[in-house]
Amino acid sequence: YPVGVVVLEALDIHVDTRRCLQRLCRWVAAVSGKEATVSEINALQQELPEILCQLEILLPVRFNTISLHVHHHFCKSYHDHGPPHCGSM
């Protein structure tokens, strides 16, 4: 598991919120991985709106900021430029 998932296990938060945050952690880990097929990236792109909608329902409004919206652009960037470790600023 990514570190974020392990930390979330120890936190005393609502089970649904923890599961949703764990899904987001796994999503970020998969999208930032060195190897992913186009079909995996497409599946991740389809999964993201569900995760973000659940976060909007479960977490306070002030949590749902542009930092969550940026995740929508990760899959397109992966298709255009390859894995994150291959890109540059």
Coordinates of all heavy atoms in Angstrom, one line a residue:
Y1 N 0.8 -1.2 0.0 CA 0.0 0.0 0.0 C 0.9 1.3 0.0 O 1.9 1.3 0.6 CB -0.9 0.1 1.2 CG -2.0 -0.9 1.2 CD1 -2.2 -1.8 2.3 CD2 -2.9 -0.9 0.2 CE1 -3.3 -2.7 2.3 CE2 -4.0 -1.8 0.2 CZ -4.2 -2.7 1.3 OH -5.2 -3.5 1.3
P2 N 0.4 2.3 -0.7 CA 1.1 3.6 -0.6 C 1.0 4.1 0.9 O 0.1 3.7 1.6 CB 0.3 4.5 -1.5 CG -0.5 3.6 -2.4 CD -0.7 2.3 -1.6
V3 N 1.9 5.0 1.2 CA 2.0 5.5 2.6 C 0.7 6.1 3.0 O 0.2 5.9 4.2 CB 3.1 6.5 2.7 CG1 3.1 7.2 4.1 CG2 4.5 5.9 2.5
G4 N 0.0 6.9 2.1 CA -1.2 7.5 2.5 C -2.3 6.5 2.9 O -3.1 6.8 3.8
V5 N -2.3 5.4 2.3 CA -3.3 4.4 2.6 C -3.1 3.8 4.0 O -4.0 3.6 4.8 CB -3.3 3.2 1.6 CG1 -4.3 2.1 2.0 CG2 -3.7 3.8 0.2
V6 N -1.8 3.6 4.4 CA -1.4 3.1 5.7 C -1.8 4.1 6.8 O -2.3 3.7 7.8 CB 0.1 2.7 5.7 CG1 0.5 2.3 7.1 CG2 0.3 1.6 4.7
V7 N -1.5 5.4 6.5 CA -1.8 6.4 7.5 C -3.3 6.5 7.7 O -3.8 6.6 8.8 CB -1.2 7.8 7.0 CG1 -1.8 8.9 7.9 CG2 0.3 7.7 7.1
L8 N -4.1 6.4 6.6 CA -5.5 6.5 6.7 C -6.1 5.4 7.6 O -7.1 5.5 8.3 CB -6.2 6.5 5.4 CG -6.0 7.8 4.6 CD1 -6.5 7.6 3.1 CD2 -6.7 8.9 5.2
E9 N -5.5 4.2 7.6 CA -5.9 3.1 8.4 C -5.9 3.5 9.9 O -6.7 3.0 10.7 CB -5.1 1.8 8.2 CG -5.2 1.2 6.8 CD -6.6 0.5 6.6 OE1 -7.2 0.1 7.6 OE2 -7.0 0.5 5.5
A10 N -4.9 4.3 10.3 CA -4.7 4.6 11.7 C -5.6 5.8 12.1 O -5.8 5.9 13.3 CB -3.2 5.0 11.9
L11 N -6.1 6.5 11.2 CA -6.9 7.7 11.6 C -8.3 7.3 12.0 O -8.9 6.3 11.5 CB -7.1 8.7 10.4 CG -5.8 9.4 9.9 CD1 -6.1 10.2 8.7 CD2 -5.2 10.2 11.0
D12 N -8.9 8.0 12.9 CA -10.2 7.7 13.4 C -11.2 8.6 12.7 O -11.7 9.6 13.1 CB -10.3 8.1 14.9 CG -11.6 7.6 15.5 OD1 -12.2 6.7 15.0 OD2 -12.0 8.3 16.5
I13 N -11.5 8.2 11.4 CA -12.5 8.9 10.6 C -13.5 7.9 10.1 O -13.3 6.7 10.2 CB -11.8 9.6 9.4 CG1 -11.0 8.6 8.5 CG2 -10.9 10.7 9.8 CD1 -10.4 9.2 7.3
H14 N -14.6 8.5 9.6 CA -15.7 7.6 9.2 C -15.2 6.6 8.1 O -14.4 6.9 7.3 CB -16.8 8.5 8.6 CG -18.1 7.8 8.4 ND1 -18.4 7.2 7.2 CD2 -19.1 7.6 9.2 CE1 -19.6 6.6 7.3 NE2 -20.1 6.9 8.5
V15 N -15.7 5.4 8.2 CA -15.3 4.3 7.3 C -15.5 4.7 5.9 O -14.5 4.4 5.1 CB -16.1 3.0 7.7 CG1 -15.7 1.9 6.7 CG2 -15.8 2.6 9.1
D16 N -16.6 5.3 5.5 CA -16.8 5.6 4.1 C -15.8 6.6 3.6 O -15.3 6.5 2.5 CB -18.2 6.1 3.8 CG -19.3 5.0 4.0 OD1 -18.9 3.8 3.9 OD2 -20.4 5.4 4.3
T17 N -15.5 7.6 4.4 CA -14.5 8.6 4.1 C -13.2 8.0 3.9 O -12.4 8.3 3.0 CB -14.5 9.7 5.2 OG1 -15.8 10.2 5.3 CG2 -13.6 10.9 4.8
R18 N -12.8 7.2 4.8 CA -11.5 6.5 4.8 C -11.4 5.7 3.5 O -10.4 5.7 2.8 CB -11.3 5.6 6.0 CG -9.9 5.0 6.0 CD -9.6 4.1 7.1 NE -10.2 4.4 8.4 CZ -10.9 3.5 9.1 NH1 -11.0 2.3 8.7 NH2 -11.5 3.9 10.2
R19 N -12.4 4.9 3.2 CA -12.4 4.1 1.9 C -12.2 5.0 0.7 O -11.5 4.6 -0.2 CB -13.6 3.2 1.9 CG -13.6 2.1 2.8 CD -14.7 1.2 2.6 NE -14.7 0.1 3.6 CZ -15.8 -0.3 4.2 NH1 -17.0 0.1 3.8 NH2 -15.8 -1.3 5.1
C20 N -12.9 6.1 0.7 CA -12.9 7.0 -0.5 C -11.5 7.6 -0.6 O -10.9 7.7 -1.7 CB -13.9 8.0 -0.4 SG -14.2 9.0 -1.9
L21 N -10.9 8.0 0.5 CA -9.6 8.6 0.5 C -8.5 7.5 0.1 O -7.6 7.8 -0.6 CB -9.2 9.2 1.8 CG -10.0 10.5 2.1 CD1 -9.7 10.9 3.6 CD2 -9.6 11.6 1.2
Q22 N -8.8 6.3 0.5 CA -7.9 5.2 0.1 C -7.9 4.9 -1.4 O -6.9 4.7 -2.1 CB -8.2 3.9 0.9 CG -7.8 4.0 2.3 CD -8.3 2.8 3.1 OE1 -9.3 2.1 2.7 NE2 -7.6 2.4 4.2
R23 N -9.1 5.0 -2.0 CA -9.3 4.8 -3.4 C -8.6 5.9 -4.1 O -7.9 5.7 -5.2 CB -10.8 4.9 -3.8 CG -11.5 3.6 -3.5 CD -13.0 3.7 -3.9 NE -13.1 3.8 -5.4 CZ -14.2 4.1 -6.0 NH1 -15.3 4.5 -5.4 NH2 -14.2 4.1 -7.4
L24 N -8.6 7.2 -3.6 CA -7.9 8.3 -4.3 C -6.4 8.1 -4.2 O -5.7 8.3 -5.2 CB -8.3 9.6 -3.6 CG -7.7 10.9 -4.2 CD1 -8.1 11.0 -5.7 CD2 -8.0 12.1 -3.4
C25 N -5.9 7.6 -3.0 CA -4.5 7.3 -2.9 C -4.0 6.2 -3.9 O -3.0 6.3 -4.5 CB -4.2 6.8 -1.5 SG -4.2 8.1 -0.2
R26 N -4.8 5.2 -4.0 CA -4.5 4.1 -5.0 C -4.5 4.6 -6.4 O -3.7 4.2 -7.2 CB -5.5 2.9 -4.8 CG -5.2 2.1 -3.5 CD -6.1 0.9 -3.5 NE -6.0 0.4 -2.1 CZ -7.1 0.4 -1.3 NH1 -8.2 1.0 -1.7 NH2 -7.0 -0.1 -0.1
W27 N -5.5 5.5 -6.7 CA -5.6 6.1 -8.0 C -4.4 6.9 -8.3 O -3.8 6.7 -9.4 CB -6.9 7.0 -8.1 CG -7.2 7.5 -9.4 CD1 -8.0 6.9 -10.4 CD2 -6.7 8.6 -10.1 NE1 -8.0 7.6 -11.5 CE2 -7.2 8.7 -11.3 CE3 -5.8 9.7 -9.6 CZ2 -6.9 9.7 -12.2 CZ3 -5.5 10.7 -10.5 CH2 -6.1 10.7 -11.8
V28 N -3.9 7.7 -7.4 CA -2.7 8.6 -7.6 C -1.5 7.7 -7.8 O -0.7 7.9 -8.7 CB -2.6 9.6 -6.5 CG1 -1.2 10.2 -6.5 CG2 -3.7 10.6 -6.5
A29 N -1.4 6.6 -7.0 CA -0.3 5.7 -7.1 C -0.2 5.0 -8.5 O 0.8 4.9 -9.1 CB -0.3 4.7 -6.0
A30 N -1.4 4.6 -8.9 CA -1.5 4.0 -10.2 C -1.1 4.9 -11.4 O -0.4 4.6 -12.3 CB -2.9 3.4 -10.5
V31 N -1.7 6.1 -11.3 CA -1.4 7.1 -12.4 C 0.0 7.6 -12.4 O 0.6 8.0 -13.4 CB -2.4 8.2 -12.3 CG1 -1.9 9.6 -12.4 CG2 -3.5 8.1 -13.4
S32 N 0.7 7.6 -11.2 CA 2.0 8.1 -11.2 C 3.0 6.9 -11.3 O 4.2 7.2 -11.2 CB 2.4 8.8 -9.9 OG 1.4 8.9 -9.0
G33 N 2.6 5.7 -11.5 CA 3.5 4.6 -11.7 C 4.3 4.7 -13.0 O 4.0 5.4 -13.9
K34 N 5.3 3.9 -13.0 CA 6.2 4.0 -14.2 C 5.7 3.2 -15.3 O 6.0 3.4 -16.5 CB 7.6 3.4 -13.8 CG 8.4 4.3 -12.9 CD 9.8 3.8 -12.7 CE 10.5 4.8 -11.8 NZ 11.9 4.5 -11.7
E35 N 4.8 2.2 -15.1 CA 4.3 1.4 -16.1 C 2.8 1.3 -16.0 O 2.2 1.0 -15.0 CB 4.8 0.0 -16.1 CG 6.3 -0.1 -16.3 CD 6.8 -1.5 -16.2 OE1 6.0 -2.4 -16.1 OE2 8.0 -1.7 -16.3
A36 N 2.1 1.7 -17.1 CA 0.6 1.5 -17.1 C 0.2 1.5 -18.6 O 0.8 2.1 -19.4 CB -0.1 2.7 -16.5
T37 N -0.7 0.6 -18.9 CA -1.1 0.4 -20.3 C -2.2 1.5 -20.5 O -2.8 2.1 -19.6 CB -1.7 -0.9 -20.5 OG1 -2.9 -1.1 -19.7 CG2 -0.7 -2.0 -20.2
V38 N -2.5 1.7 -21.8 CA -3.5 2.7 -22.2 C -4.8 2.3 -21.6 O -5.6 3.1 -21.1 CB -3.5 2.8 -23.7 CG1 -4.7 3.7 -24.2 CG2 -2.2 3.4 -24.2
S39 N -5.1 1.0 -21.6 CA -6.4 0.6 -21.1 C -6.5 0.8 -19.6 O -7.6 1.1 -19.1 CB -6.7 -0.9 -21.4 OG -5.7 -1.7 -20.9
E40 N -5.4 0.6 -18.9 CA -5.4 0.9 -17.4 C -5.7 2.4 -17.2 O -6.4 2.8 -16.3 CB -4.1 0.5 -16.8 CG -3.9 -1.0 -16.7 CD -2.5 -1.4 -16.2 OE1 -1.6 -0.6 -16.3 OE2 -2.4 -2.6 -15.8
I41 N -5.0 3.3 -18.0 CA -5.2 4.7 -17.8 C -6.6 5.1 -18.1 O -7.2 5.9 -17.4 CB -4.2 5.5 -18.7 CG1 -2.8 5.2 -18.2 CG2 -4.5 7.0 -18.7 CD1 -2.5 5.7 -16.8
N42 N -7.2 4.5 -19.2 CA -8.6 4.8 -19.5 C -9.5 4.4 -18.4 O -10.5 5.1 -18.1 CB -9.0 4.1 -20.8 CG -8.3 4.8 -22.0 OD1 -7.8 5.9 -21.9 ND2 -8.1 4.0 -23.1
A43 N -9.3 3.2 -17.8 CA -10.1 2.7 -16.7 C -10.0 3.7 -15.5 O -11.0 4.0 -14.8 CB -9.7 1.3 -16.3
L44 N -8.8 4.2 -15.2 CA -8.6 5.1 -14.1 C -9.3 6.4 -14.4 O -9.9 7.0 -13.5 CB -7.1 5.4 -13.9 CG -6.3 4.2 -13.3 CD1 -4.8 4.5 -13.5 CD2 -6.7 4.0 -11.9
Q45 N -9.3 6.8 -15.7 CA -10.0 8.1 -16.0 C -11.5 8.0 -15.8 O -12.1 8.9 -15.4 CB -9.6 8.4 -17.5 CG -10.1 9.8 -17.9 CD -9.6 10.1 -19.3 OE1 -9.0 9.3 -20.0 NE2 -9.7 11.4 -19.7
Q46 N -12.0 6.8 -16.0 CA -13.4 6.6 -15.8 C -13.8 6.4 -14.4 O -14.9 6.7 -13.9 CB -13.9 5.3 -16.6 CG -13.9 5.5 -18.1 CD -14.2 4.2 -18.8 OE1 -14.4 3.2 -18.2 NE2 -14.3 4.3 -20.1
E47 N -12.8 6.0 -13.5 CA -13.1 5.8 -12.1 C -13.0 7.1 -11.3 O -13.7 7.3 -10.3 CB -12.0 4.8 -11.5 CG -12.2 4.5 -10.1 CD -11.1 3.6 -9.5 OE1 -10.1 3.4 -10.2 OE2 -11.3 3.2 -8.4
L48 N -12.2 8.1 -11.8 CA -12.0 9.3 -11.1 C -13.3 10.1 -10.8 O -13.4 10.5 -9.6 CB -11.0 10.2 -11.8 CG -10.6 11.5 -11.1 CD1 -9.9 11.1 -9.8 CD2 -9.7 12.3 -12.0
P49 N -14.2 10.3 -11.7 CA -15.4 11.1 -11.3 C -16.2 10.6 -10.2 O -16.7 11.3 -9.3 CB -16.2 11.1 -12.6 CG -15.2 10.9 -13.7 CD -14.1 10.0 -13.1
E50 N -16.2 9.2 -10.1 CA -17.0 8.6 -9.0 C -16.3 8.9 -7.7 O -16.9 9.2 -6.7 CB -17.1 7.1 -9.2 CG -17.8 6.4 -8.1 CD -17.8 4.9 -8.3 OE1 -17.7 4.4 -9.5 OE2 -17.9 4.2 -7.3
I51 N -14.9 8.8 -7.7 CA -14.2 9.0 -6.4 C -14.4 10.5 -6.0 O -14.6 10.8 -4.8 CB -12.7 8.7 -6.6 CG1 -12.5 7.2 -6.9 CG2 -11.9 9.2 -5.4 CD1 -11.1 6.9 -7.3
L52 N -14.2 11.4 -7.0 CA -14.4 12.8 -6.6 C -15.8 13.2 -6.2 O -15.9 14.0 -5.3 CB -13.9 13.7 -7.8 CG -12.4 13.6 -8.2 CD1 -12.1 14.5 -9.3 CD2 -11.5 13.9 -7.0
C53 N -16.8 12.6 -6.8 CA -18.2 12.9 -6.3 C -18.4 12.4 -4.9 O -19.0 13.0 -4.1 CB -19.2 12.2 -7.3 SG -19.3 13.1 -8.8
Q54 N -17.8 11.2 -4.6 CA -18.0 10.7 -3.2 C -17.3 11.6 -2.2 O -17.8 11.9 -1.2 CB -17.4 9.3 -3.1 CG -18.2 8.2 -3.8 CD -17.6 6.8 -3.7 OE1 -16.4 6.7 -3.3 NE2 -18.4 5.8 -4.0
L55 N -16.1 12.1 -2.6 CA -15.4 13.1 -1.7 C -16.2 14.3 -1.5 O -16.2 14.9 -0.4 CB -14.0 13.4 -2.3 CG -13.0 12.3 -2.2 CD1 -11.7 12.7 -2.9 CD2 -12.6 12.1 -0.7
E56 N -16.9 14.8 -2.6 CA -17.7 16.0 -2.4 C -18.8 15.8 -1.5 O -19.2 16.7 -0.7 CB -18.2 16.5 -3.8 CG -17.2 17.1 -4.7 CD -17.7 17.5 -6.0 OE1 -19.0 17.4 -6.2 OE2 -16.9 17.8 -6.9
I57 N -19.4 14.6 -1.5 CA -20.5 14.3 -0.6 C -20.0 14.1 0.9 O -20.6 14.6 1.8 CB -21.2 13.0 -1.0 CG1 -21.9 13.2 -2.4 CG2 -22.1 12.4 0.0 CD1 -22.4 12.0 -3.1
L58 N -18.8 13.4 1.1 CA -18.4 13.1 2.4 C -17.6 14.1 3.1 O -17.6 14.2 4.4 CB -17.5 11.8 2.3 CG -18.3 10.5 1.8 CD1 -17.3 9.4 1.5 CD2 -19.3 10.1 2.9
L59 N -16.9 15.0 2.4 CA -16.0 16.0 3.0 C -16.6 17.4 3.0 O -17.4 17.7 2.1 CB -14.7 15.9 2.3 CG -13.9 14.6 2.5 CD1 -12.7 14.6 1.6 CD2 -13.6 14.3 3.9
P60 N -16.1 18.2 3.9 CA -16.6 19.6 3.9 C -16.3 20.3 2.5 O -15.3 20.0 1.9 CB -15.8 20.3 5.0 CG -15.2 19.2 5.8 CD -15.2 18.0 4.9
V61 N -17.0 21.4 2.2 CA -16.9 22.1 1.0 C -15.5 22.7 0.8 O -14.9 22.6 -0.2 CB -17.9 23.2 0.9 CG1 -17.7 24.1 -0.3 CG2 -19.3 22.6 0.9
R62 N -14.9 23.1 1.9 CA -13.6 23.8 1.8 C -12.5 22.8 1.4 O -11.4 23.2 1.0 CB -13.2 24.4 3.1 CG -13.0 23.5 4.3 CD -12.6 24.2 5.6 NE -12.6 23.3 6.7 CZ -13.5 23.2 7.6 NH1 -14.5 23.9 7.6 NH2 -13.3 22.3 8.6
F63 N -12.7 21.5 1.5 CA -11.7 20.5 1.1 C -11.7 20.3 -0.4 O -10.7 20.0 -1.0 CB -12.0 19.1 1.8 CG -11.0 18.1 1.4 CD1 -9.8 18.0 2.1 CD2 -11.3 17.1 0.4 CE1 -8.9 17.0 1.7 CE2 -10.4 16.2 0.1 CZ -9.2 16.1 0.7
N64 N -12.9 20.5 -1.0 CA -13.0 20.3 -2.5 C -12.5 21.5 -3.2 O -13.3 22.4 -3.6 CB -14.5 19.9 -2.8 CG -14.9 18.7 -2.1 OD1 -14.3 17.6 -2.3 ND2 -16.0 18.8 -1.3
T65 N -11.3 21.5 -3.5 CA -10.6 22.7 -4.1 C -10.1 22.3 -5.5 O -10.3 21.2 -6.0 CB -9.5 23.2 -3.2 OG1 -8.5 22.2 -3.2 CG2 -10.0 23.6 -1.9
I66 N -9.4 23.2 -6.1 CA -8.7 23.0 -7.4 C -7.7 21.9 -7.3 O -7.5 21.2 -8.3 CB -8.1 24.3 -7.9 CG1 -7.6 24.2 -9.3 CG2 -6.9 24.7 -7.0 CD1 -8.8 24.1 -10.3
S67 N -7.2 21.6 -6.1 CA -6.2 20.5 -6.0 C -6.9 19.2 -6.4 O -6.2 18.2 -6.9 CB -5.6 20.5 -4.7 OG -6.6 20.3 -3.7
L68 N -8.1 19.0 -6.1 CA -8.8 17.8 -6.6 C -9.2 17.8 -8.0 O -9.1 16.8 -8.7 CB -10.1 17.5 -5.7 CG -9.8 17.1 -4.3 CD1 -11.2 16.9 -3.6 CD2 -9.1 15.8 -4.2
H69 N -9.5 19.0 -8.5 CA -9.8 19.1 -9.9 C -8.6 18.8 -10.8 O -8.8 18.2 -11.9 CB -10.3 20.5 -10.2 CG -10.5 20.8 -11.7 ND1 -11.6 20.3 -12.4 CD2 -9.7 21.4 -12.6 CE1 -11.4 20.6 -13.7 NE2 -10.3 21.3 -13.8
V70 N -7.5 19.1 -10.4 CA -6.3 18.8 -11.2 C -6.1 17.3 -11.6 O -5.6 17.0 -12.6 CB -5.0 19.3 -10.4 CG1 -3.7 18.8 -11.0 CG2 -5.0 20.8 -10.3
H71 N -6.7 16.4 -10.8 CA -6.6 15.0 -11.0 C -7.2 14.7 -12.4 O -6.8 13.7 -13.0 CB -7.2 14.2 -9.9 CG -6.5 14.2 -8.7 ND1 -6.6 15.3 -7.8 CD2 -5.6 13.4 -8.1 CE1 -5.8 15.0 -6.7 NE2 -5.2 13.9 -6.9
H72 N -8.2 15.5 -12.8 CA -8.8 15.2 -14.1 C -7.8 15.3 -15.3 O -8.0 14.7 -16.3 CB -9.9 16.2 -14.4 CG -11.2 15.9 -13.7 ND1 -12.0 14.8 -14.0 CD2 -11.8 16.5 -12.6 CE1 -13.0 14.8 -13.2 NE2 -12.9 15.8 -12.3
H73 N -6.8 16.1 -15.1 CA -5.8 16.3 -16.2 C -4.7 15.3 -16.2 O -3.9 15.3 -17.2 CB -5.3 17.8 -16.1 CG -6.3 18.8 -16.1 ND1 -7.0 19.1 -17.3 CD2 -6.9 19.6 -15.1 CE1 -7.9 20.1 -17.0 NE2 -7.9 20.3 -15.7
F74 N -4.5 14.5 -15.2 CA -3.4 13.6 -15.1 C -3.5 12.5 -16.2 O -2.5 12.2 -16.8 CB -3.4 12.8 -13.7 CG -2.9 13.7 -12.6 CD1 -3.1 13.3 -11.3 CD2 -2.2 14.8 -12.8 CE1 -2.6 14.0 -10.2 CE2 -1.7 15.6 -11.8 CZ -1.9 15.2 -10.5
C75 N -4.7 12.0 -16.5 CA -4.8 10.9 -17.5 C -4.5 11.5 -18.9 O -3.8 10.9 -19.7 CB -6.2 10.3 -17.5 SG -6.4 9.4 -15.9
K76 N -5.0 12.7 -19.2 CA -4.7 13.3 -20.5 C -3.2 13.6 -20.6 O -2.6 13.3 -21.7 CB -5.4 14.6 -20.7 CG -5.2 15.2 -22.0 CD -6.0 16.5 -22.2 CE -5.9 17.1 -23.5 NZ -4.7 17.0 -24.3
S77 N -2.6 14.0 -19.6 CA -1.1 14.3 -19.6 C -0.4 13.0 -19.8 O 0.6 12.9 -20.5 CB -0.7 14.9 -18.3 OG 0.7 15.1 -18.2
Y78 N -0.8 11.9 -19.2 CA -0.2 10.6 -19.3 C -0.3 10.2 -20.8 O 0.7 9.7 -21.4 CB -0.9 9.5 -18.4 CG -0.1 8.3 -18.2 CD1 0.6 8.2 -17.0 CD2 0.1 7.3 -19.1 CE1 1.4 7.1 -16.7 CE2 0.8 6.2 -18.8 CZ 1.5 6.1 -17.6 OH 2.2 5.0 -17.4
H79 N -1.4 10.3 -21.4 CA -1.6 10.0 -22.9 C -0.7 10.9 -23.7 O -0.1 10.4 -24.7 CB -3.0 10.2 -23.3 CG -3.9 9.1 -22.9 ND1 -3.8 7.8 -23.3 CD2 -5.0 9.1 -22.0 CE1 -4.7 7.0 -22.8 NE2 -5.5 7.8 -22.0
D80 N -0.6 12.2 -23.4 CA 0.2 13.1 -24.3 C 1.7 13.0 -24.1 O 2.4 13.1 -25.0 CB -0.3 14.5 -24.0 CG -1.7 14.8 -24.4 OD1 -2.3 13.9 -25.2 OD2 -2.3 15.8 -24.0
H81 N 2.1 12.8 -22.8 CA 3.6 12.9 -22.5 C 4.2 11.7 -21.9 O 5.3 11.7 -21.6 CB 3.8 14.1 -21.5 CG 3.2 15.4 -22.0 ND1 3.7 16.1 -23.0 CD2 2.1 16.1 -21.5 CE1 3.0 17.2 -23.2 NE2 2.0 17.2 -22.3
G82 N 3.4 10.7 -21.6 CA 3.9 9.4 -21.0 C 3.9 9.5 -19.5 O 3.3 10.4 -18.9
P83 N 4.5 8.6 -18.8 CA 4.5 8.6 -17.4 C 5.1 9.8 -16.8 O 6.0 10.5 -17.4 CB 5.4 7.3 -17.0 CG 5.4 6.5 -18.3 CD 5.2 7.4 -19.4
P84 N 4.7 10.2 -15.6 CA 5.2 11.5 -15.0 C 6.7 11.5 -14.9 O 7.2 12.6 -15.0 CB 4.5 11.5 -13.6 CG 3.3 10.6 -13.7 CD 3.7 9.6 -14.8
H85 N 7.3 10.4 -14.6 CA 8.8 10.5 -14.4 C 9.5 10.8 -15.7 O 10.7 11.1 -15.7 CB 9.3 9.2 -13.8 CG 9.3 8.0 -14.7 ND1 8.1 7.3 -15.0 CD2 10.2 7.4 -15.5 CE1 8.4 6.4 -15.9 NE2 9.7 6.4 -16.2
C86 N 8.8 10.7 -16.9 CA 9.5 11.0 -18.2 C 9.3 12.5 -18.5 O 10.0 12.9 -19.5 CB 8.8 10.1 -19.3 SG 9.2 8.4 -19.1
G87 N 8.5 13.2 -17.9 CA 8.3 14.6 -18.2 C 9.2 15.5 -17.5 O 10.0 15.1 -16.7
S88 N 9.1 16.8 -17.9 CA 9.9 17.8 -17.3 C 9.1 19.1 -17.2 O 8.1 19.2 -17.8 CB 11.2 18.1 -18.1 OG 10.8 18.6 -19.4
M89 N 9.5 19.9 -16.3 CA 8.7 21.2 -16.1 C 9.1 22.2 -17.1 O 10.1 22.3 -17.6 CB 9.0 21.7 -14.7 CG 8.8 20.7 -13.6 SD 7.2 20.7 -12.8 CE 6.7 22.2 -12.5

